[in-house]
Amino acid sequence: MPEKNKILITRNLPDDVIARACADYDAETNTDDAPYGADQMIGLCQGKDALLCTITNDVGADVIARLPDSIRAIATFSVGFEHIDLDAAKERNIVVTNTPGVLTEATADIALLCLLGAARRVTESQATLREGWTGWTPTQLMGIEVTGKRLGLVGMGDIGRATARRARAFGMDIHYHNRNRLDATLEDGAVFHERLEDLLANSDFLSLHCPLTPDTRHLLNAKTIDLLPDNAVVINTARGPVVDDEALITALKSGRVAAAGLDVFDGEPNINPGYFDCPTAFLLPHLGSATVETRTAMGMTALDNLDAFFAGTEPPNRIA
Ligand code: DGY
């Protein structure tokens, strides 16, 4: 029997994924799930053929430069790949893959949860119940109606469009800004704004669905927040650093932004403590893809990519 390829899996993954990985590979797993620092991960890569990592691993240029020559592929268990320096990987002839597609619907569900949670004042409602609710009143915890409002999407890729589909069912009008205008079928009646500034001015609700790049870092900042209509709600299920936290916290505290629904944070898990002083912030711990079905599909996709790589064929989700 030919020797199995050796892989390092940096975090604990759903059971079915681990079972398949261990059946098909000589896999070193991390069932304790303690996050590896860079040195530890590099050390564990010695003698491995591939690395199956997650967004919690720094695979920047410095780390890639120190990976052993045995590592020929990196499969990330994520659609986002800003934690990996693709150019550095290419330079070392390391193939890199991600897991697009399979997490679209689950992440769009969380975008809607953030939208509704922020609009309907769920943080304050939970506190009211836990601290001793004194009963229904006609004016208690009145939120913002979503029906008939404009939802502005920054980024109209798979997740942006899946969010739009859900929001249409709530009677929202969809606007978007994207690098390129989509064709009419994909647009499905959404209004395209070539300039981000124009989208912002037309967004009662603003939902971020762009990747984190040098161009999108702090895309939402004090200046761009000022372009939003009064009483706007901000939703972020993309990446934390797309938002300038200090600017958003200031806007939430002053009421310039009515509410925010946030699933991702700059520097997570160490989130800006200012958010905890904002009762109008509805906060989730990066749950976008966190369903059993989706996380299993992400793991299977990562393994499909590695299987293809080791079979000498093009991995379906190659990004470098
Ligand atoms: C991703 O895949 O990029 C998410 O942020 C984690 O599921």
Side-chain angles (χ1 to χ4, degrees), residues 55 78-80 103 239 286 289 298:
I55 55 167
S78 61
V79 63
L103 45 74
R239 284 293 185 259
H286 202 146
S289 59
M298 289 165 69

Side-chain angles (χ1 to χ4, degrees), residues 9-312:
I9 303 178
T10 64
R11 300 301 299 257
N12 196 26
L13 301 180
D15 290 349
D16 289 354
V17 179
I18 293 291
R20 173 175 157 190
C22 291
D24 297 348
Y25 291 93
D26 181 349
E28 179 159 351
T29 58
N30 176 9
T31 42
D32 291 345
D33 207 28
Y36 296 147
D39 289 345
Q40 192 181 6
M41 187 181 79
I42 292 164
L44 292 170
C45 279
Q46 298 300 324
K48 304 290 190 305
D49 302 300
L51 170 65
L52 200 165
C53 66
T54 75
I55 55 167
T56 60
N57 300 115
D58 167 10
V59 197
D62 291 354
V63 170
I64 288 181
R66 293 167 56 213
L67 286 175
D69 291 338
S70 60
I71 292 285
R72 291 178 289 135
I74 298 172
T76 184
F77 176 89
S78 61
V79 63
F81 49 82
E82 71 285 340
H83 54 296
I84 305 175
D85 190 313
L86 298 186
D87 291 334
K90 276 186 212 151
E91 241 166 64
R92 290 204 60 190
N93 284 324
I94 297 175
V95 166
V96 184
T97 64
N98 70 341
T99 64
V102 291
L103 45 74
T104 300
E105 305 301 330
T107 306
D109 288 346
I110 288 288
L112 261 292
L113 177 61
C114 285
L115 187 154
L116 291 168
R120 299 304 295 270
R121 303 177 62 176
V122 166
T123 303
E124 293 159 277
S125 302
Q126 294 281 299
T128 300
L129 276 176
R130 287 169 199 278
E131 286 159 16
W133 184 35
T134 51
W136 186 93
T137 83
T139 57
Q140 187 179 48
L141 289 166
M142 293 187 295
I144 300 171
E145 187 97 11
V146 303
T147 305
K149 297 283 164 53
R150 297 166 297 179
L151 171 63
L153 301 163
V154 179
M156 197 61 155
D158 291 345
I159 299 172
R161 295 200 307 279
T163 302
R165 279 199 299 280
R166 284 158 176 73
R168 281 189 196 98
F170 283 85
M172 301 187 84
D173 296 326
I174 311 301
H175 293 243
Y176 75 101
H177 168 75
N178 199 45
R179 260 173 313 187
N180 305 305
R181 182 169 184 169
L182 305 184
D183 68 38
T185 320
L186 290 180
E187 231 175 34
D188 201 8
V191 179
F192 175 63
H193 296 273
E194 197 170 341
R195 297 173 63 241
L196 173 67
E197 291 78 1
D198 295 332
L199 176 79
L200 294 169
N202 283 283
S203 298
D204 303 311
F205 288 77
L206 181 77
S207 190
L208 304 171
H209 298 281
C210 52
L212 174 63
T213 66
D215 285 343
T216 62
R217 182 173 292 272
H218 286 193
L219 172 144
L220 195 68
N221 53 46
K223 239 167 104 182
T224 48
I225 284 173
D226 247 3
L227 300 173
L228 292 168
D230 287 341
N231 229 22
V233 175
V234 169
I235 296 115
N236 189 9
T237 54
R239 284 293 185 259
V242 176
V243 170
D244 175 347
D245 287 329
E246 287 300 333
L248 181 56
I249 289 165
T250 302
L252 287 167
K253 286 185 175 166
S254 70
R256 176 65 186 81
V257 165
L262 307 174
D263 184 47
V264 289
F265 302 90
D266 198 357
E268 61 186 48
N270 304 312
I271 81 176
N272 189 316
Y275 282 121
F276 297 125
D277 299 329
C278 296
T280 53
F282 175 70
L283 311 173
L284 296 175
H286 202 146
L287 294 181
S289 59
T291 65
V292 174
E293 294 85 346
T294 290
R295 289 281 165 86
T296 301
M298 289 165 69
M300 296 304 182
T301 302
L303 291 175
D304 290 345
N305 282 312
L306 289 179
D307 290 354
F309 172 77
F310 286 117

